[in-house]
């Protein structure tokens, strides 16, 4: 154990000293420090030689990839898959709700949307880093991102973006015509939402509109078109959820954002954050309840909503907006929340078949 700790400390010192020795000065040191912060005390996958450790984590997979490929994988945030989960989960909710009573969600659609989530999240991060490359250099947590750190040029990132969007288009073309048009309509949001932090204190709302498009797309991919009575409240609930988790996320950078002139709901709400998050939570749960009523959901679904409410209450009550580490932990816990909603949808749908079978047996007994 002691040897492992010493090795980790030595690795951290190498990350700190290497950029300084290269003569890049204080900014390079800040980047290295940011790498340590982003990795919770572990050396990040920055430039330069590094030891390749074995592990199953996303960061370990990225670190074990060929060295020329690593900056592109980090540009896609493959080493931090929480964003992909948060993009993917509303798609799974919609696909699950669209399944026939008593059936599991369409596995082919789940895999298709999962691949699309990886590609579109990567494309969104690439666009974000291209827009923000000058700002990222001024923020400790983001100074080691590949474009800001100079590991990838703007031209290279543009070519890489084109490749990701081309592959994502290939995924989209596997869907019906209605869904193809609906998916294409989201591209404007994907391109413009990184700019919102420059002009409004509500960039998290723009992110919510973008990240939850799958709540509409998943249903239409199964049914051929959207049912407004289900898709719209589901979309709204996802937007409220994004306002919750991304406001928490934004509190990590509020000091740097204020210094360089960027805006966020964290700066807008400040010490009133918990009251706002509580309001968003009530709205989210209300919209999900409406989804349940309109889709004929059953007891497991509402049990899951109760668990989601408890999760949100604990998340908000224990949140310390002045501790970036706690904000990160609360932010990442939302993957569990999203999976609980999905579990409730799947079990609730299977329960419908059980109720149907019981009703048929009752009718048969009456007829006999």
């Amino acid at each position: 154990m002691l040897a492992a700790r010493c090795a980790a400390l030595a690795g951290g010192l190498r990350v700190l000293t290497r950029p300084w020795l290269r003569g890049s000065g204080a900014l390079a040191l800040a980047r290295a420090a940011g790498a340590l912060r982003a990795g919770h005390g572990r050396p990040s996958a920055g430039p330069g030689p590094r030891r390749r450790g074995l592990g199953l984590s996303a960061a370990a997979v990225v670190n074990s990839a060929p060295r020329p490929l690593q900056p592109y994988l980090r540009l896609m945030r493959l080493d931090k898959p929480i964003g992909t989960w948060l993009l993917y989960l509303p798609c799974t909710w919609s696909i699950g709700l669209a399944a026939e009573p008593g059936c599991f969600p369409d596995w082919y659609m789940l895999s298709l949307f999962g691949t699309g989530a990886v590609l579109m999240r990567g494309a969104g991060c690439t666009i974000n880093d291209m827009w923000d490359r000058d700002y990222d250099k001024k923020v400790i947590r983001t100074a080691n991102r590949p474009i800001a750190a100079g590991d990838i040029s703007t031209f290279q990132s543009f070519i890489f973006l084109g490749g990701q969007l081309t592959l994502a288009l290939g995924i989209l073309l596997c869907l019906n015509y209605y869904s193809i048009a609906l998916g294409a309509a989201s591209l404007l949001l994907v391109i413009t939402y990184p700019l919102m932090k420059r002009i409004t204190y509500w960039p998290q709302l723009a992110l919510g509109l973008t990240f939850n498009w799958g709540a509409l797309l998943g249903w239409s991919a199964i049914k051929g078109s959207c049912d407004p009575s289900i898709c719209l409240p589901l979309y709204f609930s996802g937007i409220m959820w994004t306002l919750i988790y991304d406001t928490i996320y934004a509190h990590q950078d509020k000091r740097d954002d204020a210094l360089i002139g960027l805006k966020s709901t964290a700066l807008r709400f400040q010490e009133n954050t918990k009251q706002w998050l509580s309001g968003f939570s009530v709205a989210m749960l209300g919209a999900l309840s409406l989804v349940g009523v309109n889709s004929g959901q059953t007891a497991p679904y509402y049990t899951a909503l109760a668990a989601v409410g408890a999760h949100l209450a604990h998340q908000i009550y224990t949140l310390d907006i002045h501790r970036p580490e706690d904000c990160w932990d609360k932010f990442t816990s939302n993957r569990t929340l999203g999976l609980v909603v999905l579990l409730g949808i799947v079990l609730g749908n299977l329960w419908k078949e059980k109720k149907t079978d019981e009703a048929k047996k009752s009718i048969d007994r009456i007829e006999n």
Side-chain angles (χ1 to χ4, degrees):
M1 180 65 72
L2 180 60
R5 290 180 178 175
C6 290
L9 178 59
L13 289 174
R14 284 196 298 271
V15 172
L16 285 169
T17 55
R18 188 180 298 116
W20 185 265
L21 292 175
R22 281 201 301 262
S24 55
L27 180 57
L29 183 57
R31 287 176 181 166
L36 289 175
R37 284 183 55 188
H40 298 285
R42 296 183 297 274
S44 75
R50 59 184 64 80
R51 183 181 58 188
R52 296 188 178 188
L54 297 176
L56 296 178
S57 70
V61 171
V62 170
N63 288 339
S64 64
R67 197 161 285 119
L69 189 61
Q70 290 182 22
Y72 293 95
L73 299 181
R74 288 189 287 113
L75 182 60
M76 293 180 70
R77 308 288 198 275
L78 288 187
D79 56 331
K80 297 175 182 177
I82 179 60
T84 303
W85 276 106
L86 296 175
L87 177 63
Y88 178 53
L89 282 166
C91 306
T92 67
W93 301 349
S94 189
I95 293 170
L97 287 166
E100 292 298 320
C103 297
F104 284 99
D106 187 313
W107 298 108
Y108 172 71
M109 283 298 173
L110 288 175
S111 61
L112 205 63
F113 274 73
T115 305
V118 172
L119 292 170
M120 287 307 298
R121 196 256 176 147
C125 290
T126 302
I127 293 170
N128 180 81
D129 288 7
M130 290 171 68
W131 283 123
D132 288 353
R133 60 187 181 276
D134 293 330
Y135 288 104
D136 284 345
K137 295 174 184 178
K138 303 173 184 177
V139 178
I140 292 177
R141 189 180 61 83
T142 59
N144 65 326
R145 287 179 175 173
I147 298 177
D151 298 333
I152 299 176
S153 69
T154 302
F155 178 74
Q156 288 171 322
S157 61
F158 186 79
I159 297 299
F160 184 55
L161 173 62
Q164 292 175 90
L165 291 177
T166 300
L167 292 174
L169 177 61
I171 298 293
L172 187 62
L173 292 177
C174 295
L175 306 181
N176 55 60
Y177 290 126
Y178 182 98
S179 300
I180 291 173
L182 184 63
S186 69
L187 189 58
L188 181 63
L189 288 171
V190 173
I191 294 172
T192 57
Y193 89 81
L195 298 174
M196 294 298 107
K197 68 188 77 170
R198 295 164 169 79
I199 61 177
T200 177
Y201 281 100
W202 292 86
Q204 281 68 30
L205 178 59
L207 180 64
L209 294 169
T210 307
F211 249 49
N212 294 282
W213 202 258
L216 307 175
L217 195 57
W219 180 280
S220 72
I222 301 293
K223 298 291 190 179
S225 62
C226 286
D227 181 347
S229 68
I230 296 174
C231 294
L232 291 183
L234 185 66
Y235 184 49
F236 177 79
S237 69
I239 294 171
M240 294 298 103
W241 184 38
T242 303
L243 281 167
I244 295 166
Y245 65 67
D246 206 54
T247 295
I248 294 172
Y249 181 88
H251 271 285
Q252 297 178 100
D253 299 328
K254 58 188 174 185
R255 291 185 179 86
D256 289 326
D257 286 348
L259 287 173
I260 62 180
L262 295 180
K263 301 176 175 67
S264 71
T265 48
L267 293 173
R268 172 66 178 82
F269 303 156
Q270 298 185 27
E271 297 302 322
N272 294 321
T273 291
K274 291 190 176 185
Q275 292 92 316
W276 280 93
L277 297 185
S278 298
F280 296 146
S281 299
V282 170
M284 176 186 178
L285 291 170
L288 286 175
S289 299
L290 181 58
V291 169
V293 171
N294 292 342
S295 61
Q297 276 295 338
T298 54
Y301 177 81
Y302 295 104
T303 302
L305 289 194
V308 167
H311 188 289
L312 286 170
H314 177 266
Q315 188 179 156
I316 295 169
Y317 180 76
T318 60
L319 173 65
D320 185 348
I321 61 174
H322 301 298
R323 288 184 58 235
E325 299 84 1
D326 187 60
C327 291
W328 175 257
D329 290 340
K330 295 298 190 301
F331 167 71
T332 56
S333 73
N334 280 277
R335 177 179 62 179
T336 301
L337 187 152
L339 289 171
V340 170
V341 175
L342 175 60
L343 181 63
I345 290 171
V346 173
L347 294 180
N349 205 48
L350 295 175
W351 190 272
K352 291 179 186 179
E353 180 68 10
K354 180 179 178 181
K355 290 183 66 177
T356 302
D357 289 343
E358 291 175 351
K360 287 180 180 179
K361 289 177 182 178
S362 298
I363 294 172
D364 291 341
R365 282 197 297 269
I366 293 172
E367 290 177 350
N368 293 332

